[in-house]
């Protein structure tokens, strides 16, 4: 949807355009509203939900980071540095200790001291060693998307320095890089899981709502049964059933399937209720009366009428999937190292010692919270915009 | 076999909706929405079907179109010069029937798919029946839009661009697209403003005379029905109470229920004396299967026979008069008040 496509006087939302003291309505503006399809009307309405738009942008960023994590991350997520274990986040500085300002950001060298009695490690900044942060540096080599070899990173420091933006973990691995790699797994599991639930939900819910009768009754009882099982024990039982010798990728898909086997019920109900209400709509009867066959009625009249609602509820059900994966992995029942997901990373923060001494290890949890909140806000915006014809 | 100028003749039409209860959805009773209706419409005529809410008018109309399946009865409809029983048509024949019978809906907001353009809505009957496509489709749609008084420039607009009256015109254009012989107008003007009602009514009248259409005009507004109908049928709880030629029915009704309905019609004369017959009691319950005339608990003229025996629809017209059917034991004995013809 391009910028010129928008009407300058929107009577479609609560705010309208407030700029200027008078709103000039031209014939072209009105005509643009009159010939606007449902998706255009939805977009105009969605745009007014600022929080949803911001969340949408944030989610795009998070997913982009996940997709390009090899390039954005300064380090290999499995590269460990025993001399820098549990290092706190390094501050990016523009002003050095002598007060000289420079536009070029840099970090000081981390210096480790071990307490001679408690063996506790503390870090101080060695202000004599300055490592400037550079863009497009060569570093650890990786295989981009498993396709081609490269060692180019978005940023980093040279000459053997380190840049741990979010600190390091018990093996001295860079947490920032690990969070990026975790984003790839954690956010995509939500998408794939929901995709699977979506397919199951639309097919089962659609048949249930369209045919009704005994078939519908049986499906509804099954859904009620599935929904009455406590989720965590069921997840635990199912994931305990995954063979431990499976390769990581297969475990990943196994967990996705487990999550969506429970997730489809909500969507199936939404689809079913939409079918039930649309079946009685006058315009559906009108289509039947002019001789349209059932396939055309479903594809041309019913599906477009509820698609936007389904997209909204799908968006609202992604957070459940992400939280599910995180909880399972946190409990050690989902994904396991060497796979990196936010839940796996949080496993490191399970004891009070880490929480007290290395609180930065909780940051993957913050990422989960941000992502889930963004999906909720985006879903709210989509849901409000989903029916532009509501009167 | 029905007469030759008949277009539609229905006999003993019934539609019973089951009432289901409990876990196993057992049938515990039925609502007799339509309970033995006989009606006939001649070609090129307008039959008004009136009655209060819930009396089965709409259900009758939908059964005729086979939008819902009738429980029993015969619906003889002349299709390509031959009579077919609509109630017994198979799927293949039913698709053909759709081209001869159409419906105009009550709610102009619910009856148009908001996600389709005017062109797609009006063109849909042509597309699904394979009658036109591409350039030809657009021409036909433009032609239909002109017929119902819509500007052809509105072709690419969506329904949200239109007012209720314009939307109803779109609905009418869709109904006309297949060039049907019978159109069921189900309360087609009752959702509109009074000023718009008149426009749409006149449009329907003009189209009827231009294309020789036959209407089954379902309404609850008697003045609207009087304006457009040649004959009027009055329905009460799933049964026909009275059928007559419009002026006869309005001027000299023979059924007490018709009289009560007519007394509620507002008169345009401010000096006219209002003698409204207020019906006491509730309308009879259509799930109730008790004997006797359904109207007798509310009827001012009811006698002992009325509580025992259900009156049959019978002719009360004298020789040489227009057909006049009434379902009342005492139709000939009562002298009932109608409304005088408009003198304007």
């Amino acid at each position: 949807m391009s910028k010129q496509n928008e009407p300058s006087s929107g009577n479609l939302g609560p705010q309208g355009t407030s700029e200027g003291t008078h709103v000039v309505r031209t014939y072209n503006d009105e005509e643009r509203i009159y010939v606007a399809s449902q998706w255009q009307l939805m977009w105009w309405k969605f745009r007014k939900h600022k929080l949803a738009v911001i969340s949408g942008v944030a989610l795009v960023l998070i997913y982009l980071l996940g997709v390009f994590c090899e390039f954005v991350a300064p380090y290999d997520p499995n590269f460990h540095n025993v001399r820098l274990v549990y290092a706190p986040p390094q501050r990016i500085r523009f002003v050095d200790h002598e007060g000289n300002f420079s536009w070029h950001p840099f970090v000081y060298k981390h210096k480790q001291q071990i307490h001679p009695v408690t063996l506790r490690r503390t870090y101080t900044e060695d202000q004599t060693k300055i490592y400037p942060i550079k863009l497009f540096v060569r570093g650890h080599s990786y295989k981009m998307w498993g396709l081609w070899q490269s060692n180019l990173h978005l940023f980093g420091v040279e000459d053997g320095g380190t840049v741990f933006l979010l600190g390091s973990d018990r093996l001295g691995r860079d947490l920032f890089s690990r969070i990026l790699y975790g984003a790839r797994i954690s956010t995509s599991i939500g998408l794939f899981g929901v995709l699977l639930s979506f397919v199951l939900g639309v097919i089962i819910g659609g048949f249930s709502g369209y045919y009704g009768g005994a078939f519908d009754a049986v499906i509804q009882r099954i859904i009620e049964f599935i929904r009455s099982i406590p989720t965590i024990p069921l997840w635990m039982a199912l994931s305990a059933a995954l063979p431990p010798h499976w390769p990581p990728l297969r475990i990943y898909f196994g967990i996705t399937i487990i999550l969506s086997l429970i997730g489809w019920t909500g969507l199936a109900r939404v689809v079913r209720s939409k079918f039930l209400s649309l079946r009685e709509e006058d315009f559906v009867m009108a289509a039947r009366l002019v001789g349209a066959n059932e396939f055309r009625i479903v594809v041309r009249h019913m599906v477009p009428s509820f698609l936007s609602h389904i997209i909204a509820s799908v968006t609202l059900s992604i957070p459940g999937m992400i939280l599910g994966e995180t909880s399972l992995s946190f409990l050690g029942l989902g994904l396991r190292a060497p796979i990196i997901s936010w839940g796996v990373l949080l496993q490191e923060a399970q004891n009070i010692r880490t929480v007290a001494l290395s609180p930065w290890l909780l940051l993957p949890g913050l990422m989960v919270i941000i992502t889930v909140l963004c999906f909720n806000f985006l879903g709210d915006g989509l849901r409000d915009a989903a029916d532009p014809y509501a009167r | 076999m029905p007469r030759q100028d008949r277009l539609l003749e229905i006999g003993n039409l019934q539609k019973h909706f089951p009432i289901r209860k409990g876990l196993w959805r057992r049938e515990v009773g039925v609502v007799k929405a339509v309970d033995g209706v006989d009606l006939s419409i001649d070609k090129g005529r307008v039959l008004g079907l009136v009655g209060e809410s819930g009396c089965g008018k709409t259900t009758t109309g939908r059964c005729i179109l086979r939008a819902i399946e009738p429980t029993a009865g015969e619906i003889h409809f002349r299709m390509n010069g031959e009579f077919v029983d609509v109630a017994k048509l198979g799927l293949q024949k039913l698709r053909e029937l759709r081209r001869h019978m159409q419906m105009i809906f009550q709610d102009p907001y619910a009856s148009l798919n908001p996600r389709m353009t005017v062109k797609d809505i009006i063109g849909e009957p042509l597309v699904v029946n394979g009658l036109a496509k591409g350039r030809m489709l657009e021409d036909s749609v433009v032609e239909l839009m002109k017929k119902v008084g819509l500007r052809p420039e509105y072709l690419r607009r969506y329904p949200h661009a239109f007012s209720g009256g314009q939307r109803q015109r779109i609905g009418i254009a869709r109904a006309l697209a297949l060039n049907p012989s019978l159109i069921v107008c189900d309360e087609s003007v009752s959702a509109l403003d009074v000023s718009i009602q008149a426009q749409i009514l006149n449009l329907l009248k003009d189209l009827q005379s231009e294309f020789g259409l036959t209407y089954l005009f379902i309404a609850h507004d008697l003045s609207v029905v009087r304006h457009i109908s040649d004959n009027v049928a009055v329905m009460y709880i799933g049964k026909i109470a009275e059928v007559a030629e419009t002026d006869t029915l309005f001027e000299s009704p023979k059924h007490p229920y018709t009289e009560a309905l007519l007394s509620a019609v507002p008169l345009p004369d401010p000096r006219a004396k209002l003698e409204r017959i207020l019906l006491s009691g509730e309308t009879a319950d259509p799930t109730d299967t008790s004997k006797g005339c359904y109207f007798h608990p509310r009827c001012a003229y009811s006698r002992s026979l009325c509580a025992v025996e259900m009156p049959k629809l019978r002719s009360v017209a004298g020789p040489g008069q227009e057909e006049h059917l009434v379902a009342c034991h005492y139709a000939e004995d009562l002298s009932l008040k109608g409304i005088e013809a408009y003198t304007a």
Side-chain angles (χ1 to χ4, degrees):
Chain A
M1 239 138 292
S2 67
K3 201 83 178 143
Q4 333 119 17
N5 230 351
E6 301 158 4
S8 64
S9 59
N11 58 354
L12 298 156
Q15 292 157 331
T17 32
S18 48
E19 55 201 275
T21 47
H22 62 282
V23 180
V24 184
R25 275 167 164 267
T26 65
Y27 173 76
N28 278 337
D29 284 343
E30 297 213 347
E31 192 59 28
R32 220 175 278 146
I33 296 170
Y34 293 156
V35 298
S37 70
Q38 80 160 316
W39 302 107
Q40 274 167 304
L41 293 173
M42 274 177 68
W43 168 242
W44 292 335
K45 204 166 169 190
F46 177 76
R47 260 192 341 196
K48 302 217 166 94
H49 201 305
K50 288 283 178 285
L51 200 55
V53 176
I54 294 168
S55 301
V57 173
L59 283 175
V60 170
L61 276 178
I62 290 172
Y63 274 87
L64 280 179
L65 287 179
V67 169
F68 295 103
C69 63
E70 288 101 338
F71 170 68
V72 180
Y75 294 101
D76 183 314
N78 295 315
F79 170 77
H80 47 85
N81 187 343
V82 261
R83 301 190 54 82
L84 288 166
V85 172
Y86 288 126
Q90 277 171 289
R91 271 182 69 183
I92 301 173
R93 294 174 184 276
F94 290 93
V95 183
D96 69 13
H97 63 287
E98 283 161 353
N100 302 321
F101 178 83
S102 132
W103 277 110
H104 208 110
F106 65 90
V107 290
Y108 286 125
K109 185 190 167 136
H110 253 337
K111 212 163 75 185
Q112 190 192 52
Q113 286 126 2
I114 299 179
H115 194 282
V117 181
T118 61
L119 295 180
R120 188 179 154 188
R121 291 179 179 85
T122 47
Y123 289 88
T124 49
E125 283 180 331
D126 180 355
Q127 296 187 332
T128 56
K129 266 302 222 184
I130 285 178
Y131 295 113
I133 296 174
K134 291 179 179 164
L135 287 177
F136 304 112
V137 295
R138 301 278 163 188
H140 291 126
S141 64
Y142 55 84
K143 214 165 182 196
M144 190 71 188
W145 299 331
L147 293 177
W148 68 86
Q149 205 75 30
S150 170
N151 60 1
L152 190 69
H153 293 264
L154 180 64
F155 69 95
V157 293
E158 286 165 339
D159 311 323
T162 57
V163 53
F164 292 156
L165 288 185
L166 301 177
S168 69
D169 66 1
R170 73 192 149 83
L171 295 176
R173 295 174 293 201
D174 177 32
L175 191 62
F176 179 70
S177 303
R178 289 176 70 77
I179 285 180
L180 289 184
Y181 278 81
R184 169 177 287 180
I185 300 288
S186 288
T187 55
S188 65
I189 214 163
L191 277 195
F192 286 130
V194 154
L195 201 71
L196 212 64
S197 307
F198 177 77
V199 173
L200 279 174
V202 167
I203 293 175
I204 298 176
F207 274 107
S208 181
Y210 193 79
Y211 289 107
F215 184 76
D216 180 42
V218 170
I219 296 285
Q220 290 315 305
R221 298 300 86 76
I222 292 175
I223 289 180
E224 274 156 24
F225 175 72
I226 294 179
R227 287 180 82 98
S228 65
I229 305 172
T231 8
I232 296 278
L234 180 66
W235 279 341
M236 288 169 76
L238 285 173
S239 41
L242 293 181
H245 55 80
W246 271 12
L249 194 70
R250 212 184 291 169
I251 293 270
Y252 169 84
F253 281 112
I255 295 291
T256 317
I257 290 168
I258 288 170
L259 289 174
S260 52
L261 277 182
I262 295 151
W264 66 269
T265 53
L267 274 172
R269 288 217 150 154
V270 175
V271 174
R272 168 182 176 265
S273 64
K274 285 286 162 201
F275 261 100
L276 285 180
S277 67
L278 283 168
R279 213 168 49 171
E280 306 298 323
E281 284 284 340
D282 275 357
F283 67 79
V284 170
M285 180 184 277
R288 200 164 279 142
L289 285 182
V290 299
N293 59 29
E294 295 302 304
F295 180 76
R296 184 183 161 92
I297 287 170
V298 170
V299 170
R300 205 55 226 271
H301 293 273
M302 294 172 103
V303 172
S305 302
F306 66 66
L307 194 62
S308 51
H309 294 268
I310 300 299
I311 292 174
S313 28
V314 160
T315 313
L316 285 170
S317 64
I318 294 176
M321 296 277 170
I322 294 179
L323 286 175
E325 182 277 322
T326 310
S327 341
L328 275 183
S329 306
F330 178 76
L331 293 173
L333 293 158
L335 302 171
R336 269 158 284 202
I339 308 178
I340 304 164
S341 83
W342 290 339
V344 172
L345 293 180
L346 276 176
Q347 259 184 301
E348 304 246 340
Q350 264 178 347
N351 54 60
I352 187 69
R353 198 194 146 276
T354 17
V355 178
L357 300 178
S358 323
W360 54 89
L361 289 177
L362 290 171
L363 284 172
L366 185 69
M367 286 305 292
V368 174
I369 294 171
I370 291 174
T371 313
V372 168
L373 279 181
C374 282
F375 268 115
N376 283 337
F377 290 137
L378 177 75
D380 276 349
L382 286 177
R383 194 190 49 207
D384 292 347
D387 193 357
Y389 308 106
R391 280 180 290 144
Chain B
M1 227 339 89
R3 269 175 22 215
Q4 273 316 295
D5 51 347
R6 282 282 147 85
L7 181 70
L8 180 78
E9 186 153 329
I10 59 182
N12 193 29
L13 182 71
Q14 295 179 19
K15 176 65 193 180
H16 296 174
F17 292 103
I19 309 167
R20 295 179 194 279
K21 276 211 177 111
L23 183 63
W24 307 110
R25 322 269 304 135
R26 226 194 329 238
E27 201 177 311
V28 295
V30 287
V31 177
K32 296 181 175 176
V34 178
D35 191 18
V37 161
D38 304 294
L39 279 179
S40 56
I41 314 178
D42 289 347
K43 212 169 165 43
R45 309 273 282 180
V46 179
L47 175 69
L49 184 59
V50 296
E52 59 197 273
S53 306
C55 72
K57 310 181 294 275
T58 297
T59 311
T60 306
R62 296 194 171 186
C63 281
I64 293 172
L65 287 157
R66 277 279 293 275
I68 51 178
E69 294 296 319
T71 310
E74 292 164 356
I75 306 165
H76 294 288
F77 176 71
R78 186 199 293 276
M79 190 159 87
N80 305 330
E82 268 179 57
F83 277 99
V84 290
D85 188 353
V86 175
K88 294 186 182 63
L89 284 185
L91 274 179
Q92 200 59 42
K93 278 282 201 181
L94 195 61
R95 269 180 69 90
E96 201 190 325
L97 174 84
R98 301 288 182 222
R99 292 169 63 169
H100 300 274
M101 272 190 192
Q102 278 300 313
M103 176 159 168
I104 299 170
F105 290 82
Q106 171 173 12
D107 184 352
Y109 288 88
S111 60
L112 306 179
N113 186 344
R115 291 163 180 84
M116 285 165 79
T117 60
V118 172
K119 183 191 160 197
D120 290 337
I121 292 171
I122 300 179
E124 184 167 41
L126 301 170
V127 172
V128 298
N129 288 289
L131 297 177
K133 55 180 169 187
R135 186 76 222 163
M136 217 177 96
L137 177 68
E138 196 162 316
D139 291 345
S140 317
V141 172
V142 165
E143 200 54 44
L144 284 163
M145 289 176 78
K146 282 182 188 156
K147 272 185 201 165
V148 298
L150 286 169
R151 286 160 62 180
E153 302 96 275
Y154 296 163
L155 202 62
R156 303 203 188 284
R157 286 189 176 184
Y158 285 85
H160 65 254
F162 298 97
S163 65
Q166 285 173 311
R167 282 164 175 251
Q168 200 59 300
R169 286 173 195 267
I170 299 172
I172 294 171
R174 172 177 60 193
L176 289 177
L178 292 174
N179 216 352
S181 46
L182 176 72
I183 295 185
V184 175
C185 304
D186 184 8
E187 303 264 14
S188 300
V189 296
S190 25
L192 306 172
D193 287 349
V194 179
S195 56
I196 310 293
Q197 279 194 7
Q199 290 176 17
I200 298 296
L201 268 185
N202 288 332
L203 172 69
L204 287 172
K205 258 189 138 170
D206 294 346
L207 291 169
Q208 193 229 349
S209 52
E210 191 180 341
F211 301 104
L213 297 168
T214 309
Y215 290 153
L216 174 64
F217 196 89
I218 300 169
H220 60 259
D221 185 335
L222 290 163
S223 5
V224 165
V225 169
R226 186 173 202 181
H227 181 69
I228 198 165
S229 311
D230 300 307
N231 294 291
V232 179
V234 179
M235 232 180 138
Y236 187 73
I237 321 202
K239 285 184 180 299
I240 298 292
E242 184 168 3
V243 190
E245 192 269 324
T246 306
D247 286 333
T248 317
L249 186 115
F250 275 79
E251 283 158 30
S252 56
K254 293 278 183 234
H255 195 288
Y257 179 63
T258 314
E259 184 193 32
L261 275 187
L262 292 175
S263 78
V265 175
L267 296 176
D269 179 1
R271 278 159 306 186
K273 242 178 32 186
L274 278 177
E275 270 183 63
R276 214 153 265 182
I277 301 171
L278 291 176
L279 292 177
S280 57
E282 289 290 307
T283 51
D285 182 357
T287 61
D288 187 12
T289 50
S290 64
K291 286 191 289 186
C293 173
Y294 283 154
F295 189 58
H296 87 266
R298 306 172 79 191
C299 180
Y301 312 97
S302 80
R303 296 177 208 175
S304 55
L305 179 63
C306 301
V308 187
E309 198 184 314
M310 177 88 75
K312 290 209 160 50
L313 194 64
R314 62 204 170 84
S315 174
V316 292
Q321 282 180 305
E322 285 271 348
E323 197 175 42
H324 195 155
L325 306 173
V326 184
C328 176
H329 294 303
Y330 303 106
E332 288 93 342
D333 308 349
L334 302 171
S335 75
L336 302 174
K337 235 171 106 73
I339 10 180
E340 283 157 39
Y342 294 126
T343 42

